[in-house]
Amino acid sequence: MIIVMASRKQEDVDHVVQKIEEMGYKAHVILGVERTVIAAIGDEREKYRLTSLEALPHVERVFPILKPFKLAGREVRQEPSVVQCGPVKIGGGHFCVFAGPCSVESREQILETAAVVKAAGAQMLRGGAYKPRTSPYSFQGMEEEGLKLLQEAGQKYGLPVVTEVMTPEQVPLVEHYADMFQIGARNMQNYGLLKAVGKARKPVFLKRGMMSTINEFLMSAEYVMSEGNPNVVLCERGIRTFETETRNTLDIQAVPILRKYSHLPIVVDPCHASGAWDLVLPMARAAVAAGADGIMVEVHPHPEVAFSDGQQSLKPGTFEQLMREIRPLLDIMKMQLG
Ligand code: PEP
Ligand code: MN
């Protein structure tokens, strides 16, 4: 249920939160520009008990949230959410470029890549230390050593870092080194993991499962948010279709559809969507034109010897070209970098 406050005073908000909790619901306070609302989330069957809160003088209205995604949806918050990661803002007119190798492979590799992407204008550094590979015989990542190197490179070049966390047990370690958690496509419906990052403090970069609908995607965001972490960034990274020409099919329509249903920032990953480096530039341009709040791009100093995803990674020069090409489009879309 949504409780629209008539008052914005802290003591009045606290009072309503206490009442909601006494009834056995979780209260999520959403501070909008125009109004403060409280989303009461819990047992759906008895939710109408909450309408009695309308009797309180500082409550304006109580009504049900109709969509299945409650905290991620526009019903509780009309204006776009801006997710903050260190000094970087994502959403609400702030466009963020996440760039870096698929995997952290060595100190030299991650430092060189960080230098290149920073100079070209990226805001965040990405790099996998725990890799979800199709084959158990493929490179699995450098694990904690990789996290350390990623953190070092991020700090050296002033880039907050995002990296994948694959199990609930890894959450504290990844949170220690990284500025943002990445939930990979294969784990989008790993509900135990979603709950674990939902209880953590750092923002979450949630990738759409390759076989998931938009509704399922938003329900996964809901899992994270319902545990108390409102800082979720959605990432469209391509879905499986009958087309065999590309690794996946970029569902560019997901951008305006997600925008219609949700206030959360939306990022596009043209690398995993296409699986081919020469498709990354046109799809990155399409992402900006479709209204995305950011792109995630794999960049490697020597893609031909990359331990993973070399075929879809950009060389430094091509990444610089991408950044040059999107700048005028960002102006048209009234988005600013960073
Ligand atoms: C990645 O970002 O390197 C990755 C494994 O992505 P996805 O989970 O989208 O396949
Ligand atoms: Mn990859």
Side-chain angles (χ1 to χ4, degrees):
M1 299 288 269
I2 301 178
I3 293 93
V4 181
M5 295 295 294
S7 153
R8 307 195 76 171
K9 273 204 248 141
Q10 188 64 46
E11 65 202 75
D12 294 342
V13 173
D14 290 346
H15 180 233
V16 177
V17 166
Q18 188 194 333
K19 290 277 168 210
I20 291 169
E21 287 173 354
E22 276 169 17
M23 285 193 238
Y25 289 82
K26 268 194 197 168
H28 300 261
V29 179
I30 296 141
L31 300 170
V33 178
E34 311 245 304
R35 55 180 201 170
T36 295
V37 306
I38 307 174
I41 309 287
D43 190 339
E44 280 286 288
R45 291 162 302 178
E46 293 195 55
K47 64 185 178 190
Y48 286 98
R49 286 193 301 135
L50 289 156
T51 47
S52 63
L53 293 172
E54 265 186 15
L56 295 172
H58 37 270
V59 169
E60 188 182 295
R61 217 150 62 87
V62 179
F63 57 94
I65 308 175
L66 300 173
K67 289 271 189 303
F69 27 90
K70 306 196 180 297
L71 298 169
R74 285 217 176 252
E75 285 170 284
V76 296
R77 186 185 169 95
Q78 270 110 44
E79 62 253 45
S81 284
V82 179
V83 170
Q84 183 104 26
C85 188
V88 175
K89 290 193 169 92
I90 309 148
H94 300 272
F95 193 87
C96 181
V97 177
F98 300 76
C102 179
S103 304
V104 178
E105 299 170 6
S106 69
R107 186 136 192 258
E108 300 66 47
Q109 175 244 19
I110 193 65
L111 285 172
E112 187 178 345
T113 312
V116 161
V117 302
K118 175 73 182 188
Q123 283 67 49
M124 297 264 310
L125 179 65
R126 64 147 286 150
Y130 296 96
K131 295 304 300 178
R133 305 304 300 280
T134 303
S135 165
Y137 310 118
S138 301
F139 176 62
Q140 302 285 307
M142 290 181 76
E143 304 183 337
E144 187 170 2
E145 185 55 23
L147 294 175
K148 284 186 189 162
L149 295 174
L150 183 69
Q151 183 189 50
E152 182 190 337
Q155 283 174 353
K156 178 155 185 205
Y157 292 99
L159 294 165
V161 300
V162 58
T163 195
E164 180 157 354
V165 56
M166 283 176 50
T167 66
E169 296 72 38
Q170 286 167 0
V171 168
L173 192 71
V174 172
E175 183 161 36
H176 177 74
Y177 292 107
D179 301 293
M180 192 180 214
F181 296 107
Q182 177 168 321
I183 302 292
R186 291 156 191 80
N187 271 317
M188 189 205 84
Q189 288 182 311
N190 181 340
Y191 299 120
L193 180 60
L194 297 176
K195 285 184 185 178
V197 293
K199 290 191 181 80
R201 298 269 68 83
K202 298 220 168 132
V204 178
F205 188 90
L206 178 64
K207 298 189 93 173
R208 179 180 179 185
M210 61 267 268
M211 287 156 294
S212 300
T213 64
I214 287 172
N215 184 72
E216 287 161 346
F217 187 21
L218 288 170
M219 291 313 290
S220 291
E222 198 67 27
Y223 262 93
V224 178
M225 299 176 86
S226 66
E227 293 296 330
N229 190 343
N231 298 310
V232 178
V233 173
L234 304 169
C235 177
E236 160 59 39
R237 48 76 75 208
I239 51 174
R240 283 231 163 138
T241 67
F242 57 81
E243 181 56 71
T244 54
E245 193 67 29
T246 48
R247 182 175 180 182
N248 291 287
T249 297
L250 177 59
D251 182 9
I252 197 73
Q253 300 176 112
V255 177
I257 296 171
L258 289 166
R259 179 78 69 217
K260 181 167 69 177
Y261 292 138
S262 178
H263 52 85
L264 295 173
I266 304 154
V267 169
V268 168
D269 171 350
C271 294
H272 292 86
S274 63
W277 70 268
D278 58 334
L279 296 177
V280 173
L281 267 64
M283 292 305 97
R285 296 194 301 263
V288 179
D293 301 296
I295 49 173
M296 173 174 267
V297 184
E298 288 181 330
V299 180
H300 197 290
H302 310 284
E304 63 286 358
V305 293
F307 292 1
S308 59
D309 288 350
Q311 75 291 351
Q312 64 191 37
S313 299
L314 300 187
K315 289 184 182 163
T318 317
F319 180 66
E320 284 156 17
Q321 186 188 340
L322 180 153
M323 294 301 290
R324 277 198 303 278
E325 288 186 6
I326 64 168
R327 279 174 202 272
L329 298 175
L330 289 171
D331 290 342
I332 293 170
M333 297 303 292
K334 300 194 171 43
M335 303 287 282
Q336 70 177 72
L337 258 184

